[in-house]
Amino acid sequence: MSAKQLTDLSQLCIHTVTTKPWDIEKAAKKFSDKGVKGISVWRDALEGRNISQTGQLLRDNGLQIVSLCRGGFFPNKEIKKRKTAIDDNRKAIEEAAVLGAPLIVLVCGTDPSQSLQNSREQIREGIESIIPFAAGAGVRLAIEPLHPMYADTRSAINTLAQANDMAFSLNSKSVGVAVDVYHLWWDPSLEQEIKRCGENGHLFAFHICDWNVPTIDLLLDRGIMGEGCIPVKKIRSWVEATGFNGFYEVEIFSSKYWQQDQSRYLNKIIKAYNENT
Ligand code: ZN
């Protein structure tokens, strides 16, 4: 099954980090001028601001706030640091509630001085401990599996199967999964796991970009859809087959594009959204 052409921008969301050189006020105006309908906010974009007023400014620009990025980073060998992480996640939940963001994306974390299994157990404990707080604030939590190249320092959750298993076992309406094509495109079980994610009601978010060939930086060399080797349209068709009706969130970290004119870059993103997504 191939995905239908995206003819309007009603499901297009852009992450503030994608156009990092713009502050959030400028990004809101520019996105809105182009007809983009959604924004996902990175916490650094809120620094020094009144969060409630910033949320209102985004809505005044006709933007729906899709998520706050990011929480997580639960594992640590030291219990004191795990407690600090849980406090920070509670703070993120408060920020999301004040901003008006219904979802927090979790980059779950890992501690390379212990086994991945231990890190996964600590992730589970960490998420479990913040569920009541998140539910009380009306904020949902999305576990985002990260590409295995980040299993050293960023996440011990590296496949959609692992994220699905964890969401399933936590068994809470507040916990689901974020599917990011950059992290998951290579997985031979992807179609099947997206289906399972949807069937369990866990598909909370869908992030898009592309994998440049060759990739020259493991963090800051993401491409625009169509520039690399990710079959974005095909993966979108699998996501849509689950009944997913949320936003397609463009999340690109790119030292190359951050050096360029951001308005032109935004135009490229919109063209790629219409043609290659
Ligand atoms: Zn993502």
Side-chain angles (χ1 to χ4, degrees):
M1 185 179 110
S2 70
K4 65 183 188 305
Q5 183 88 20
L6 292 166
T7 50
D8 64 51
L9 305 183
S10 61
Q11 279 175 281
L12 173 58
C13 165
I14 301 181
H15 283 230
T16 55
V17 72
T18 298
T19 54
K20 193 176 169 171
W22 284 342
D23 62 27
I24 193 166
E25 291 81 10
K26 185 153 189 185
K29 173 88 173 62
K30 293 280 191 174
F31 294 176
S32 172
D33 285 351
K34 287 289 171 186
V36 175
K37 294 296 179 199
I39 188 166
S40 274
V41 177
W42 280 58
R43 289 174 78 191
D44 63 338
L46 296 172
E47 243 162 59
R49 288 168 172 77
N50 178 308
I51 294 176
S52 166
Q53 283 172 8
T54 305
Q56 193 53 50
L57 173 110
L58 300 178
R59 288 185 287 276
D60 289 346
N61 275 282
L63 294 165
Q64 192 171 323
I65 303 169
V66 178
S67 67
L68 182 69
C69 299
R70 56 202 186 186
F73 290 99
F74 297 104
N76 200 288
K77 243 181 162 167
E78 293 175 37
I79 188 159
K80 204 170 147 228
K81 290 194 175 156
R82 296 205 294 278
K83 283 192 172 135
T84 306
I86 286 169
D87 289 344
D88 185 59
N89 277 276
R90 283 169 162 256
K91 191 164 167 260
I93 290 166
E94 279 169 5
E95 286 174 13
V98 173
L99 183 69
L103 180 71
I104 291 183
V105 177
L106 300 177
V107 171
C108 292
T110 182
D111 180 347
S113 68
Q114 66 183 6
S115 72
L116 287 167
Q117 283 84 348
N118 282 355
S119 285
R120 284 178 201 128
E121 275 162 33
Q122 291 168 5
I123 289 166
R124 205 201 128 84
E125 285 166 14
I127 296 174
E128 204 161 30
S129 73
I130 61 169
I131 286 174
F133 198 67
V139 174
R140 300 198 296 173
L141 307 167
I143 300 166
E144 179 172 41
L146 259 52
H147 191 284
M149 69 181 169
Y150 300 122
D152 57 348
T153 52
R154 289 177 187 270
S155 185
I157 307 290
N158 306 106
T159 64
L160 185 52
Q162 287 174 326
N164 279 340
D165 286 347
M166 190 163 292
F168 191 79
S169 76
L170 285 163
N171 191 27
S172 161
K173 282 199 175 77
S174 301
V175 179
V177 173
V179 168
D180 185 325
V181 299
Y182 186 77
H183 297 298
L184 302 175
W185 67 277
W186 56 272
D187 185 345
S189 307
L190 187 57
E191 180 177 11
Q192 174 196 330
E193 290 296 331
I194 286 174
K195 188 163 181 269
R196 181 177 156 223
C197 189
E199 280 167 0
N200 290 330
H202 288 151
L203 188 43
F204 285 4
F206 181 46
H207 297 175
I208 54 174
C209 66
D210 212 335
W211 182 284
N212 286 331
V213 183
T215 285
I216 55 171
D217 187 288
L218 298 185
L219 192 61
L220 302 178
D221 186 35
R222 293 191 184 197
I224 301 174
M225 299 76 72
E227 289 184 329
C229 61
I230 298 180
V232 181
K233 276 189 197 214
K234 186 182 262 183
I235 299 173
R236 174 167 77 92
S237 76
W238 297 340
V239 165
E240 285 183 347
T242 70
F244 179 84
N245 198 24
F247 279 91
Y248 306 125
E249 304 181 40
V250 178
E251 182 190 31
I252 300 172
F253 318 119
S254 167
S255 36
K256 180 181 97 177
Y257 283 118
W258 289 339
Q259 283 167 23
Q260 297 181 14
D261 179 275
Q262 296 299 285
S263 294
R264 269 210 294 271
Y265 169 42
L266 178 60
N267 288 339
K268 274 189 191 171
I269 290 171
I270 289 171
K271 187 165 185 282
Y273 179 77
N274 287 322
E275 292 172 5
N276 306 321
T277 298

